[in-house]
Amino acid sequence: IGARPMNPESTLLYGLVFFMCAVAFTMLRNYLVRSGLLHESISRAAQQKIIRKNRLAFSIYLVAALLGYVSVYISFFLFLIVPAMYFMPEKIVHEA
């Protein structure tokens, strides 16, 4: 964003970088779930909930990147929503 924070093209590129990082993280997480490399005690339902949250995150980043042409303020707000989602504690159900 740098010297031109209100430029829609800057917001688009910033959002696309976030989007690609979120997609890479989601792919890594999906691999861990499919390979059984996560804690065995985490329930399948909890794992699916985490996957849905990751997909929602990269969707928000993509929408925010595209909304930069409508309003960069909306994009910035959406960019802040995703980290806030991950700061909210979740109840992870462990299987016995």
Side-chain angles (χ1 to χ4, degrees), residues 34-54:
R34 274 189 252 118
S35 300
L37 297 173
L38 292 177
H39 296 286
E40 295 85 21
S41 64
I42 298 176
S43 71
R44 186 76 178 145
Q47 292 176 5
Q48 290 301 322
K49 183 178 177 183
I50 292 169
I51 289 171
R52 282 193 305 272
K53 186 177 187 179
N54 292 340

Side-chain angles (χ1 to χ4, degrees), residues 14-46:
Y14 191 66
L16 289 177
V17 168
F18 275 158
F19 169 74
M20 290 185 288
C21 290
V23 168
F25 178 76
T26 301
M27 289 170 56
L28 174 67
R29 184 69 186 217
N30 289 343
Y31 171 76
L32 292 174
V33 168
R34 274 189 252 118
S35 300
L37 297 173
L38 292 177
H39 296 286
E40 295 85 21
S41 64
I42 298 176
S43 71
R44 186 76 178 145

